């Protein structure tokens, strides 16, 4: 029998003019847009360039080389999910990923609301297939709290926070985040931190190995954020809060949990604040992570190691580094050569995510594609 497959990382592509057309005239200079210019795909606002991607022969196509039917069309997306054997997914933005590069609290809040209203309209007809994930502004925490309330009123179960705290904001070990995490717990809102968000630029290195270094650094920044949230006590003081780190791999959670436990015990006299639970227990209780090819976390989950309890597979549709169009093969190959119990397999492929986001784990796709 086919297991329930949930992709804990996929993306929707917003209408091109969502922000440029939707923001009021006094904020349009902050609208996030993309344009092709001199062989580059450029993302930015009137005031600054945020990201440049070189296109053309021997360069990356931003969506890969295989047609994605579901970039804008929901029926096409459901067809791609059938092809992939994916029964449900949580959907993140594309343009909106750069929201945390804005400098204006007013523009950030207005852009988040535009995206959240569009996302709700686009995906709400299929709640059994799509978990809607909203965006939270963070430059003014009063806007953050207000948007959590708004999303909850619209039935959202997940909302994005930056994976890295943007410049000028308190770090994730700061108690000023407590009201936000308390509100998330109160509303049953999972906070989702997608790789690359919150950084001024995802291009840190331009020398040899830069392509590998820059992408890998993003997973290391997720580790830092978990370390800050756990060690600083934000999660411990708000035990109902749940946080998921997306597209950062997952096996590192095991090493981090072990290291935090070791230091908390060995240097206990210097540890402030004192935690009510071991760091590894806080991670198992409140932290999730998604991966595409990270087989080590599957072995750790099978062994019952702290830190590996809440790992989730993801396809990263429709991105070039994702698993489309071979996800059916990938989810089998992940377990090749491993002795892993059926419960662990089903948890990793879908049930962990279904429990996190409150989705009924019903299989909607066929066992196998027709020949």
């Amino acid at each position: 029998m086919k297991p329930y497959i949930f992709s804990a990382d996929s993306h929707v592509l917003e209408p091109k003019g969502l922000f440029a057309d939707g923001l009021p005239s006094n904020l349009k200079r902050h609208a996030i847009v993309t344009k092709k210019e001199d062989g580059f795909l450029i993302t930015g606002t009137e005031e600054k360039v945020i990201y440049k991607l070189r296109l053309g022969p021997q360069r990356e196509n931003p969506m890969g080389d295989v047609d994605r039917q579901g970039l804008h069309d929901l029926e096409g997306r459901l067809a791609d999910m059938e092809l992939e054997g994916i029964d449900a997914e949580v959907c993140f933005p594309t343009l909106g990923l750069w929201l945390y590069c804005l400098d204006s609290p007013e523009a950030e809040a207005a852009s988040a609301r535009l995206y959240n209203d569009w996302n709700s309209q686009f995906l709400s007809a299929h709640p059994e297939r799509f978990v809607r994930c909203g965006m939270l502004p963070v430059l003014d925490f009063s806007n953050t709290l207000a948007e959590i309330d708004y999303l909850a009123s619209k039935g959202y179960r997940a909302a994005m926070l930056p994976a890295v705290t943007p410049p000028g904001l308190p770090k994730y070990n700061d108690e000023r985040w407590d009201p936000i995490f308390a509100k998330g717990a109160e509303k049953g809102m999972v906070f989702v931190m997608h790789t690359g968000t919150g950084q001024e630029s995802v291009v840190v290195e331009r020398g040899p190995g830069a392509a590998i270094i820059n992408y890998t650094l993003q997973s290391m920044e997720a580790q830092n954020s978990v370390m800050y949230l756990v060690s600083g006590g934000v999660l411990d003081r708000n035990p109902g809060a749940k946080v998921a780190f997306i597209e950062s791999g997952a096996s590192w959670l095991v090493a981090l949990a072990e290291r935090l436990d070791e230091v908390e015990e060995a240097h206990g006299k210097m540890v402030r604040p004192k935690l009510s639970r071991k760091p590894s227990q806080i991670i198992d209780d409140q932290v999730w992570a998604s991966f595409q090819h990270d087989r080590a976390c599957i072995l750790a989950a099978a062994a019952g190691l702290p830190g590996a309890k809440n790992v989730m597979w993801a396809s990263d549709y429709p991105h070039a580094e994702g698993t489309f169009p071979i996800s059916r093969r990938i989810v089998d190959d992940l377990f090749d050569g491993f002795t892993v119990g059926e419960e662990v397999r089903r948890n990793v492929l879908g049930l962990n995510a279904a429990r996190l986001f409150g989705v009924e784990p019903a299989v909607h796709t066929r066992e196998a594609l027709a020949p």
Side-chain angles (χ1 to χ4, degrees):
M1 181 179 177
K2 178 186 178 297
Y4 174 76
I5 307 294
F6 187 108
S7 171
D9 179 22
S10 68
H11 295 264
V12 291
L13 187 59
E14 307 93 322
K16 187 175 182 180
L18 178 66
F19 303 116
D21 298 337
L23 287 175
S25 57
N26 65 312
L27 297 177
K28 284 190 183 294
R29 68 185 185 278
H30 299 292
I32 304 169
V33 297
T34 59
K35 61 182 179 180
K36 291 182 180 179
E37 185 177 287
D38 299 329
F40 287 89
L41 183 68
I42 301 174
T43 302
T45 68
E46 286 184 11
E47 298 182 336
K48 64 179 178 180
V49 172
I50 298 173
Y51 184 58
K52 292 175 68 174
L53 177 68
R54 187 184 296 275
L55 302 173
Q58 309 303 316
R59 296 291 182 176
E60 185 176 6
N61 180 326
M63 295 300 171
D65 299 319
V66 180
D67 287 342
R68 275 80 167 147
Q69 297 184 62
L71 290 177
H72 303 283
D73 176 66
L74 206 55
E75 291 307 311
R77 191 178 192 93
L78 290 168
D80 277 351
M81 291 170 72
E82 176 65 38
L83 173 69
E84 294 276 84
I86 293 173
D87 300 298
E89 58 186 15
V90 58
C91 296
F92 303 110
T94 298
L95 275 179
L97 289 176
W98 305 107
L99 178 80
Y100 300 113
C101 293
L102 296 181
D103 304 313
S104 161
E106 186 180 3
E108 183 194 43
S111 297
R113 180 62 59 86
L114 282 170
Y115 174 80
N116 293 338
D117 285 345
W118 170 81
N119 178 279
S120 183
Q121 182 273 326
F122 185 59
L123 297 175
S124 60
H126 299 277
E128 77 286 359
R129 305 299 302 274
F130 302 109
V131 172
R132 291 172 296 148
C133 182
M135 297 209 68
L136 294 175
V138 294
L139 292 178
D140 181 332
F141 281 1
S142 67
N143 291 339
T144 315
L145 293 167
E147 199 64 17
I148 294 173
D149 283 331
Y150 181 76
L151 291 173
S153 75
K154 295 291 185 180
Y156 275 81
R157 294 188 290 261
M160 288 183 65
L161 287 174
V164 177
T165 50
L169 263 66
K171 296 178 181 179
Y172 279 131
N173 62 339
D174 195 304
E175 63 184 11
R176 282 175 286 181
W177 285 99
D178 278 30
I180 292 169
F181 281 79
K183 175 75 75 172
E186 173 195 340
K187 298 296 183 180
M189 193 76 62
V190 179
F191 289 143
V192 186
M193 302 186 179
H194 192 285
T195 190
T197 54
Q199 299 170 294
E200 290 183 283
S201 174
V202 295
V203 180
V204 177
E205 178 58 56
R206 295 185 181 276
I212 296 174
I213 292 167
N214 287 325
Y215 191 70
T216 304
L217 278 173
Q218 294 175 22
S219 69
M220 299 172 73
E221 285 152 356
Q223 297 176 47
N224 288 338
S225 290
V226 173
M227 177 175 62
Y228 273 67
L229 284 166
V230 172
S231 303
V234 172
L235 291 181
D236 194 39
R237 291 189 296 270
N238 298 283
K242 297 177 180 179
V243 186
F245 287 82
I246 303 302
E247 201 182 333
S248 299
S251 60
W252 53 266
L253 272 172
V254 176
L256 182 63
E258 187 279 331
R259 180 65 170 175
L260 294 179
D261 280 357
E262 176 188 345
V263 174
E264 193 234 7
E265 180 176 348
H267 299 281
K269 291 183 179 179
M270 295 180 285
V271 171
R272 299 288 186 279
K274 298 297 183 183
L275 303 174
S276 68
R277 293 166 286 163
K278 294 180 66 173
S280 62
Q281 188 63 54
I282 296 172
I283 290 173
D284 276 350
D285 290 344
Q286 296 179 258
V287 179
W288 280 252
S290 80
F291 71 96
Q292 289 155 228
H293 306 284
D294 188 353
R295 302 212 312 152
C297 71
I298 296 173
L299 289 177
L305 296 179
K309 178 184 175 184
N310 301 320
V311 299
M312 310 177 291
W313 179 80
S315 72
D316 195 26
Y317 179 94
H319 292 164
E321 66 269 21
T323 59
F324 181 86
I326 58 170
S327 294
R328 285 181 182 264
R329 192 190 80 198
I330 292 292
V331 297
D332 286 337
D333 290 351
L334 284 171
F335 300 89
D336 188 40
F338 290 173
T339 301
V340 174
E342 187 64 16
E343 181 181 7
V344 171
R345 179 170 178 265
R346 290 181 179 273
N347 284 340
V348 169
L349 292 180
L351 297 184
N352 282 344
R355 286 188 287 265
L356 174 63
F357 294 113
V359 179
E360 179 65 29
V363 174
H364 298 281
T365 54
R366 288 173 289 174
E367 178 83 26
L369 294 176

